[in-house]
């Protein structure tokens, strides 16, 4: 194990003055690539080398497996509240959590651009390790490629994840039914606006920090408390509006929400006003919407309020049996309007 | 959020709606001029709170929608040049020209950049002295001061690589044009509050006189718009035609004199073509002769051999309030925000985009459609 710095992050072990940045040769399969792997990537991730193996070999488990993959191209790589490394772990762990699975193993694919400072790579991988340890996963396989300067924007990351679904857990859009209560786990739009603010160099009295977080623990507590969770969806690209729309259309039900109940932080609302964005469509990286039987909604909220990531969880609406229009919202002045799917891109490259 | 939340308050809005219903004894047709107001009306469902005798029709105040197709075609041709960095507000990137849009040029390799301010384009010109930086300057009196400031700055900095493709429009001549049409049905106007924050409202007094029509300078939040409607309906019910200001927290009669001076310094009033509507005398702004060096049309010579054909979009009828988005046979079927046939489906101030986004394709659904 490497030395540890004052803030408990391991210190980058490569002699940075030798090659302070990624070179094309770091992807060439030769000595430089092996040093990058053995001295930087694997120690930073806290992962073990597979030796000469081409694949990770895992023990087979009983029950059902969940498997998902996600690629991360966020620009900038570092932003208030996190970096691409946090997103790459939380994004995949959360996708598994939304199927009710407990995340177990992750793969890591790195596409490095020639010229990326190795110190940045180190910081990002250490963030992945921290996030991975907190989520209880292991990094079991990976790949590294280097592309020419100008062809990669620093770093792209892909993670794939395996998780285990406990017996009796059945979480999917098809189980959403009229009468269900719709709950969001926290305030909307933080991640998208944190990225936007840092990209546009907007500053606010209270800086907007990304909400990037592992949602797995909160979901598992809901399940252990006996809540019959019908469906879960994390509110990433397209935000709450797109998540609700997708579920309503897939399940052929209607969803009604109330604008006055939507939690949006003052700074996020202000930034959205300035930039002409609607927080309903702005991405989060640590929030989900859940559909639970109305009779269990109070209990579900009590459980969620016990988790830091969901302490602002709130009831925002209900499911009805009128499938068209799929999603409607009662506006703050008491009229109703349709909530449509996002058209085009509201904020490109935010995850 | 102070100055916002109190103007979105449900109880106040419903109280105003009841007050409007109490004073309304007959039918009235009002036009909100600005596309921002149209969006607020459709987004919050303000029209659903009004009595059935009051019809709100949507005006021409969407800068993206009224920009002529010939200007878009010029923009496309200039943006495709290898030496050019072409800067634009986001909405303009997706407006279809005769053949494609600016995003298409970007995908084909053109250096097209979305900016939030024309001053960003000036900075880009400073940072890229070897490139030609062109800003697509569209809009009403609201964006004119910032665009004028960009030219002023570029001139002060001696930037030889900055220019603007200008397509600026003015509100008062458009209102005159609507009132002068033989089939006009508009009985009262909610004037665009932000235009008046810059220009004041003294320009509207002669229009009120000449046409005996109430004009109420109105803001953009639900309570603003309902107050504007209340004032306008009160005048109509009492047989008055006066100029009133609902938006006193932002607008004075004289407006922002510094901004007006800057506009007069950099620009000249010119005849202007409005997409879908046609030419309106003295309804546009072009660069003054002293600043002609910053005119992209002059710098790049004769560009944009536009067919000028509008295709199937009925934007002119939409923007003059003769038809509603749902009256268009392509609305929501062949014309959607992903595949717009015309600008009103693209712009964040376009009426068709507002109806599609907030009412869905079922614009006649009684639950969410206007009365």
């Amino acid at each position: 194990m490497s030395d540890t710095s004052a803030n408990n992050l391991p210190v980058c072990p490569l002699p940075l003055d030798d090659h302070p940045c990624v070179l094309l040769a770091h992807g060439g399969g030769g000595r430089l690539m092996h040093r990058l792997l053995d001295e930087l990537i694997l120690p930073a991730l806290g992962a073990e080398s597979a030796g000469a193996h081409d694949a990770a070999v895992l023990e087979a488990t009983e029950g059902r497996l969940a498997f998902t993959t996600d690629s991360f191209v966020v620009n900038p790589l570092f932003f208030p509240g996190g970096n691409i490394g946090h997103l790459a772990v939380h994004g995949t762990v959360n996708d598994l959590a939304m199927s009710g699975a407990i995340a177990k193993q992750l793969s890591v694919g790195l596409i490095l651009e020639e010229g990326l400072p190795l110190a940045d790579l180190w910081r990002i991988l250490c963030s992945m390790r921290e996030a991975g340890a907190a989520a209880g996963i292991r990094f079991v396989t990976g790949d590294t490629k280097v592309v020419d300067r100008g062809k990669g924007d620093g770093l792209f990351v892909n993670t794939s994840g395996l998780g285990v679904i406990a017996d009796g857990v059945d979480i999917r859009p098809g189980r959403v039914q009229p009468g269900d209560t719709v709950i969001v786990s926290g305030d909307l739009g933080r991640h998208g606006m944190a990225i936007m603010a840092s990209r546009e160099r907007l500053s606010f009295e209270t800086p907007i920090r990304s909400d990037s977080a592992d949602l797995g623990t909160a979901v598992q507590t809901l399940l252990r408390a006996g809540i019959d969770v019908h469906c879960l969806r994390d509110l990433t690209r397209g935000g709450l509006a797109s998540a609700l729309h997708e579920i309503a259309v897939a399940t052929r039900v209607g969803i009604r929400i109330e604008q006055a109940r939507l939690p949006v932080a003052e700074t996020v609302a202000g930034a959205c006003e300035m930039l002409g964005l609607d927080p309903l469509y702005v991405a989060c990286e640590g929030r989900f919407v859940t559909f639970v039987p109305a009779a269990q909604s109070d209990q579900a909220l009590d459980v969620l309020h016990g988790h830091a990531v969901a302490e602002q969880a709130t009831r925002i609406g209900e499911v009805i049996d009128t499938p068209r229009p799929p999603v409607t919202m009662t506006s703050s002045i008491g009229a109703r309007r349709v909530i449509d799917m996002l058209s085009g891109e509201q904020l490109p490259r935010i995850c | 959020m102070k100055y916002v939340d109190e103007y979105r308050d449900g109880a106040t809005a419903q109280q105003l709606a009841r007050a409007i219903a109490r004073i309304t004894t007959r039918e009235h047709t009002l036009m909100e001029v600005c596309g921002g107001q149209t969006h607020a009306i459709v987004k919050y469902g303000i029209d659903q709170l009004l009595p059935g005798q009051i019809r709100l029709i949507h005006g021409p105040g969407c800068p993206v929608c009224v920009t002529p197709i010939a200007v878009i075609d010029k923009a496309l041709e200039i943006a495709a040049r290898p030496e050019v960095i072409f800067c634009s507000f986001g909405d303009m990137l997706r407006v279809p020209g005769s053949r494609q849009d600016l995003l298409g040029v970007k995908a084909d390799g053109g250096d097209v950049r979305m900016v939030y301010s024309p001053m960003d384009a000036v900075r880009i010109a400073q940072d890229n002295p070897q490139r030609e930086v062109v800003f697509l300057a569209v809009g009403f009196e609201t964006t004119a001061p910032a665009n004028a400031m960009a030219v002023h700055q570029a001139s002060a900095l001696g930037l030889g690589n900055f220019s603007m493709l200008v397509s600026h429009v003015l509100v008062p001549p458009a209102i005159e044009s609507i009132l002068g049409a033989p089939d006009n049905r508009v009985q009262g106007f909610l004037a665009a509050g932000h235009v008046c924050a810059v220009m004041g409202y003294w320009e509207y007094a002669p229009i009120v006189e000449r046409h005996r029509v109430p004009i109420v300078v109105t803001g953009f939040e639900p309570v603003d718009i309902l107050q504007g409607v209340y004032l306008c309906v009160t005048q109509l019910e009492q047989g008055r035609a006066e100029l009133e200001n609902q938006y006193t927290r932002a607008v004075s009669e004289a407006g922002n004199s510094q901004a007006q001076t800057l506009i007069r310094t950099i620009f000249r009033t010119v005849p202007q073509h409005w997409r879908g509507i046609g030419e309106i005398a003295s309804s546009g702004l072009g660069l003054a002769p002293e600043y002609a060096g910053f005119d992209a049309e002059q710098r790049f010579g004769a560009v944009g051999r536009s067919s000028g054909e509008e295709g199937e979009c009925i934007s002119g009828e939409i923007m003059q309030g003769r038809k509603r988005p749902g009256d268009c046979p392509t609305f929501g079927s062949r014309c959607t925000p992903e595949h717009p046939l015309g600008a009103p489906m693209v712009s964040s101030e376009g009426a068709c985009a507002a109806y599609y986004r907030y009412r869905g394709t079922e614009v006649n659904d009684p639950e969410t459609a206007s009365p």
Side-chain angles (χ1 to χ4, degrees), chain A residues 159-170:
Chain A
T159 53
S160 297
L162 278 173
V164 178
I165 303 178
D167 286 341
V169 173
D170 183 15

Side-chain angles (χ1 to χ4, degrees), chain A residues 196 200 256 259 266 269-270 273 275 278 281 324-325 331-338 340 343-344, chain B residues 1 8 10 13-14 43-46 48-49 116 222 337-338 356-360 362 365 367-368:
Chain A
M196 206 59 191
E200 298 297 327
R256 281 188 182 195
Q259 187 171 25
E266 186 99 335
E273 282 291 328
L275 295 172
D278 186 342
Y281 293 89
R324 292 188 71 88
S331 75
S332 57
I333 65 167
R336 278 210 312 129
R337 70 153 159 114
V338 164
D340 191 25
S343 299
Chain B
M1 241 181 305
R8 293 179 187 169
Q14 290 184 358
K43 178 174 179 177
Y44 287 95
I46 295 167
Q48 297 171 48
L49 300 189
Y116 276 98
E338 288 76 26
Y356 189 89
R357 182 160 176 196
Y358 302 124
R359 301 269 152 97
E362 293 147 81
D365 171 1
E367 270 201 277
T368 50

Side-chain angles (χ1 to χ4, degrees), chain A residues 183-250:
Chain A
I183 291 172
V184 286
S185 68
D187 64 329
L188 305 175
R190 277 185 187 276
H191 178 70
M193 294 322 294
I195 298 287
M196 206 59 191
S198 70
R199 220 186 272 170
E200 298 297 327
R201 296 190 211 94
L202 302 176
S203 51
F204 302 96
E205 275 174 40
T206 320
I208 302 174
R209 294 170 63 80
S210 168
D211 54 13
S212 182
D214 163 28
L215 300 172
T217 317
V219 169
Q220 288 305 316
T221 324
L222 273 181
L223 297 175
R224 276 200 304 276
I227 307 290
D228 182 17
V229 177
H230 289 167
C231 186
L232 290 160
R233 185 63 59 96
D234 54 346
L235 308 178
T236 54
R237 278 173 300 173
L240 175 66
S242 303
L244 294 179
H245 202 271
E246 276 171 28
I247 290 169
V249 169

